[in-house]
Amino acid sequence: GLFEFFQIAKKLGAKPFKVAGYVSALFLLSASFIHNAGFTQLNFIWLYLAGLSCFSLVFFSALFSKNENAVNDAAYTLAGLIYAVLPFVILLYIPCIDNSIQHSEKLQFNSNYNNHIVLGLLLLIWANDSYAYLVGSLIGKRKLLERVSPGKTWEGTIGAAILTLASSLLVATWFPEVAKAHWMVLSLIVSVIGTLGDLSESLLKRKAGVKDSGSIMPGHGGILD
């Protein structure tokens, strides 16, 4: 995902510090994994230190760069970490939260990775995306944000939200670890944030003049897609 973002950044005229970016990405993901696997009791301080080290590495790269637009390049490098890497870092925390510990002052983590929570979220995201395309193709007339994504319509977006809400009831029967009401709320969050995320990436690709972020998944595009 970070590689794809750097490719888009290059199309936009930047020269991201790739080595610093990739090293920082591995560092952040490793810190998150180590914390969630229960190898450390340093709580979020471990991740804070990892993040601070990554910011320092990027700016050190800018400091010693001979490019005239080194600050701009550093900004794109950090943007790639925030846009393409940080979500995966946070994603690792979601299934590791120990919901059995109630009324605690701070989050508790365990190594019993519950992949059902992440899988349920992905199913809702894919459902919302598919419903938006189908409903928009059938009855879509009013453009949602034509200058960014001409194919998206208000009818498709609203229809997708309703159908994704209905689909959350099915997901709730598959993964009862999360309450039905919570799955329903998550489906609404997915409908809103998923659509905004899709539009944000469409804006990046439109400015860069590319159709897909990559070609790793034929018919779907890249990791960012």
Side-chain angles (χ1 to χ4, degrees), residues 23-104:
V23 170
S24 297
L26 290 172
F27 193 24
L28 286 170
L29 287 169
S30 298
S32 180
F33 172 77
I34 290 170
H35 183 196
N36 286 313
F39 296 139
T40 178
Q41 298 300 320
L42 294 177
N43 293 326
F44 286 105
I45 294 177
W46 182 255
L47 202 58
Y48 290 153
L49 290 174
L52 183 61
S53 300
C54 294
F55 273 81
S56 300
L57 181 60
V58 172
F59 280 109
F60 285 153
S61 300
L63 187 63
F64 293 101
S65 173
K66 295 181 180 179
N67 294 341
E68 292 183 1
N69 296 320
V71 174
N72 188 56
D73 298 338
Y76 271 99
T77 306
L78 291 175
L81 292 172
I82 294 170
Y83 184 80
V85 179
L86 187 60
F88 285 100
V89 171
I90 298 173
L91 188 69
L92 286 174
Y93 279 86
I94 294 175
C96 291
I97 295 177
D98 191 348
N99 294 312
S100 64
I101 302 177
Q102 302 294 329
H103 308 298
S104 177

